[in-house]
Amino acid sequence: MIDFSAVNGEWQKYDFNRIVDDYGNYLVQSILPNSSREIQLKIVNSFMKNLVEYSNMKSSSNVIEKCLEYCNNDIQVSLIEKFTNEIISSFVNFS
């Protein structure tokens, strides 16, 4: 097993919105299963405002999927609520 403690300490230096790309998403996916709730929350908060947009992109949707798989229940619920609210509001504003 890889020790991600050094990466977890260094991750704050990077903007996860920029590294959630074809290669950076693998790093984020690797950090999530072994990270603390605090780090999971910081990762999720870094892309929460663009959740719907990122869920439609291949590499970032993989990260969102891993968040739903490995993050704590409260983080999972907030992701699902945000996504649901965004989808509902887009249909409400459409009419």
Side-chain angles (χ1 to χ4, degrees), residues 83-95:
F83 188 75
T84 305
N85 290 336
E86 290 290 323
I87 296 298
I88 291 171
S89 69
S90 69
F91 283 111
V92 169
N93 292 331
F94 184 70
S95 54

Side-chain angles (χ1 to χ4, degrees), residues 34-49:
N34 302 307
S35 61
S36 68
R37 181 191 178 282
E38 176 187 7
I39 296 207
Q40 291 173 351
L41 190 58
K42 288 180 180 180
I43 291 171
V44 169
N45 284 338
S46 72
F47 65 76
M48 188 67 106
K49 66 181 176 182

